[in-house]
Every structure is written in C-alpha cells, then in structure tokens.
Amino acid sequence: NAGRKLARYRLKQESRPEEGIEQVGEIDLTPHIASSFTLVGVSMTYDGYLVVAAQKALLTLTRDLSVVDTYLLPEGQILTNSISLDEQSLYVASNSTQPDGKGLMQRIICKGGRFSTAASDGAWQAAYDGGPMAPSIKLGYGTGSTPTLMGFGYDEDKLVVITDGAKRMKLVAFWREDIPADAKASATGDPRIAGVFDITCGLPASTEWIQSEQSVVVGGYDAFVVNNISSGISKVSDKIVGVLAIGPILQGPKGVECVRWNTQTN
C-alpha cells in the first residue's frame, strides 16, 4: 500500500546539506481515505497544515503527520487530480464515477486544520459537464485539470478555472468568493459559474476529441490550454499502448488556445 503512505524527510544536518536527507516519519493513511486506491496530491495550507487529497477523501495533518480532520467526497464522485488553495480554502474538482455524469467543483473552507462545507463560512459547490472516457492520456470522466486560481489581491474578479470532461472540452470559470452583482448569467443557469467557453485549439470542426490532462496555465486574466489527444488515437483500444504509440507510430497531439477573461463585461 505504498500509494497510501505519507513520509516526512529532513536534512541530516541543516548547516551541511551535502550530508543528505533522512526519513523522520511515516503514516499509513489507508484507514482514513474511504478505500481510495491511491493518494493524488499533497499541499500545505497558509496556516501550516498538510492537506492530502485521496481519490475519495481529503485529510488535514499536522507537520508531525497526525491526522486532524477528514472530509469524504460526495457519493458518486472521485478525485483524479490534485487540489488548489488560497488563504482560507481549498478548490477541489472531482469527477463523476459514471460516463457523462456531472463533475463537482467545490470550495471547502479550511482553518486551523478543520474543514467546513457550510455556505455560511463561504463554502460552495457547483456541477460541471463530464463526458465519456477519453481514448488516451486522460483518466476519468471529468476534468483533467487541477483547479487554477485567476485574480488575486486587489484584482477586480476572483475566479477558479478548469477544463471540463466534454469530448471537445470547454473552459469553465467559477466565481471564487461572493458572486458580483454585475455577474452575467451563463448558459448553465448556475450563478456560481462565471463563464463557459468552447475550446477549439484551432482544430477543424470534424475533430472528435479535444481534451487536456494539464492544468490551465493562467497569467493575469489570460488562460492557456493544450490538447493532449492525438488524432487517430481512438483506433487503439489499449490506453498504455496508445500512449507509447504517440510519436513513433501515431502523430502527436496538436492544438493550443489562449482565452482572456474580460473584467469589464464579465
């Protein structure tokens, strides 16, 4: 169960890094992660707690690897990517366990190592589109992206963005905090969703798959995405064989796109 253990290391001598590192702690998280097969990410909150993301659960731990709190994902959701954090919250984009099922973006408040999903504390959740299983690269039926934060400090709009699970993916932006009074309604009907943009990556309309297993790259209010699905890959039935074939046998994937959020028109 090595995929469910967390280890802690440190320098053998802080003043002499050339002496190397040593392991000073380890915890088996198997009893705490709701039968998840593996861990998918580890991060640290602004107030110094470790956050571990497993396929079906989130955990907070102290630096000495003691479990503080646990959050189980909603039934029918699974996590295949890591999580993002700001000063007081986590952003978690899980996938449906069913083909074409809705994924779930959540803001979960985390203070003092304790989780809160209460709306009164600022937590929220919103559904986004899933799709079928991609023929290669990407796992699951939802996003291939770890959520990316857009807008900081005194910036006008605070958003979190992902790509969704549709065969021809869309870029989806969610309001991170309070929904502004001048927010424009998206086609989804969910006020938490700030906007949805169809991604083409410059590829023809006949392209069956445009999907990414990369996080959205954000600079200011620009969002850059790539396509990871090679044309012709759907003819290969085995995902591992298909990945190995890209390059020597199949042409590599093509297509990138940059989308800009307009703070004036929302």
Side-chain angles (χ1 to χ4, degrees), residues 8 27 30 61 76 122 130-131 146 178 180 190 200:
R8 177 186 174 188
I27 183 172
T30 304
L61 298 90
T146 295
D178 292 338
D190 186 341
T200 70

Side-chain angles (χ1 to χ4, degrees), residues 79-149:
L79 197 56
T80 59
N81 302 288
S82 193
I83 58 175
S84 296
L85 297 87
D86 62 18
E87 290 84 347
Q88 60 178 356
S89 49
L90 320 176
Y91 297 91
V92 183
S94 57
N95 301 337
S96 172
T97 57
Q98 301 298 317
D100 298 304
K102 292 284 188 178
L104 194 64
M105 169 66 82
Q106 296 187 80
R107 183 196 193 198
I108 300 172
I109 306 303
C110 187
K111 295 181 180 178
R114 299 287 177 180
F115 296 122
S116 172
T117 56
S120 58
D121 290 331
W124 52 260
Q125 59 179 236
Y128 71 89
D129 287 343
M133 182 68 73
S136 73
I137 305 292
K138 179 174 160 290
L139 296 174
Y141 303 115
T143 182
S145 304
T146 295
T148 303
L149 307 187

Side-chain angles (χ1 to χ4, degrees), residues 17 29 31 61 73-74 87 90 103 121 125 128 158 172 182 185 190-191 195-196 202 205 222 233 235 240 255:
L29 297 174
L61 298 90
L73 266 64
E87 290 84 347
L90 320 176
D121 290 331
Q125 59 179 236
Y128 71 89
K158 308 289 197 309
V172 187
D182 62 347
D190 186 341
V196 179
D222 288 343
I233 193 69
K235 300 175 184 177
I240 295 178

Side-chain angles (χ1 to χ4, degrees), residues 25-235:
E26 183 179 84
I27 183 172
D28 183 357
L29 297 174
T30 304
H32 306 281
I33 55 176
S35 301
S36 297
F37 178 71
T38 189
L39 310 179
V40 296
V42 180
S43 193
M44 181 175 282
T45 65
Y46 279 65
D47 56 357
Y49 290 88
L50 292 170
V51 180
V52 178
Q55 291 173 308
K56 300 179 183 179
L58 304 175
L59 306 172
T60 51
L61 298 90
T62 59
R63 290 176 184 233
D64 64 0
L65 305 185
S66 298
V67 175
V68 178
D69 201 6
T70 303
Y71 169 75
L72 301 183
L73 266 64
E75 187 71 25
Q77 293 289 307
I78 191 168
L79 197 56
T80 59
N81 302 288
S82 193
I83 58 175
S84 296
L85 297 87
D86 62 18
E87 290 84 347
Q88 60 178 356
S89 49
L90 320 176
Y91 297 91
V92 183
S94 57
N95 301 337
S96 172
T97 57
Q98 301 298 317
D100 298 304
K102 292 284 188 178
L104 194 64
M105 169 66 82
Q106 296 187 80
R107 183 196 193 198
I108 300 172
I109 306 303
C110 187
K111 295 181 180 178
R114 299 287 177 180
F115 296 122
S116 172
T117 56
S120 58
D121 290 331
W124 52 260
Q125 59 179 236
Y128 71 89
D129 287 343
M133 182 68 73
S136 73
I137 305 292
K138 179 174 160 290
L139 296 174
Y141 303 115
T143 182
S145 304
T146 295
T148 303
L149 307 187
M150 175 186 281
F152 299 90
Y154 294 105
D155 291 343
E156 182 174 348
D157 294 330
K158 308 289 197 309
L159 304 167
V160 55
V161 295
I162 59 170
T163 53
D164 71 6
K167 291 181 77 173
R168 294 172 62 93
M169 66 183 178
K170 303 183 289 295
L171 186 70
V172 187
F174 305 80
W175 296 109
R176 287 211 312 268
E177 300 173 357
D178 292 338
I179 300 171
D182 62 347
K184 300 294 189 296
S186 69
T188 67
D190 186 341
R192 178 56 61 181
I193 295 180
V196 179
F197 189 88
D198 292 325
I199 297 296
T200 70
C201 286
L203 298 170
S206 59
T207 305
E208 182 181 8
W209 284 94
I210 301 173
Q211 258 294 340
S212 181
E213 182 63 8
Q214 316 283 340
S215 293
V216 180
V217 177
V218 164
Y221 283 106
D222 288 343
F224 181 82
V225 296
V226 301
N227 171 46
N228 287 137
I229 308 297
S230 175
S231 60
I233 193 69
S234 58
K235 300 175 184 177

